[in-house]
Amino acid sequence: MNGEVFRGSWKIASVMGIPIRVHFTWFIVFGLITWSLPTFYFPKAEPELPAASY
């Protein structure tokens, strides 16, 4: 394979000699989900909880 496929990705592990890579955009997706859950979903799903618990 050429280097074009792996541009912007980091090797995080190797399983039986096969490299496992993650693209940097997954960190953006993870950050957006982490931000949106306590901001939008949890307050509607459990409104009786204090804000610090979200």
Side-chain angles (χ1 to χ4, degrees):
M1 288 188 172
N2 57 18
E4 296 285 325
V5 176
F6 301 120
R7 183 174 292 160
S9 64
W10 294 289
K11 181 180 175 183
I12 58 169
S14 181
V15 178
M16 297 186 337
I18 301 170
I20 307 298
R21 297 179 171 267
V22 63
H23 197 266
F24 76 92
T25 56
W26 281 107
F27 294 108
I28 295 170
V29 169
F30 177 74
L32 286 172
I33 290 172
T34 303
W35 168 77
S36 69
L37 283 175
T39 304
F40 300 110
Y41 177 73
F42 292 146
K44 291 181 178 136
E46 296 293 331
E48 67 275 356
L49 292 176
S53 66
Y54 301 136

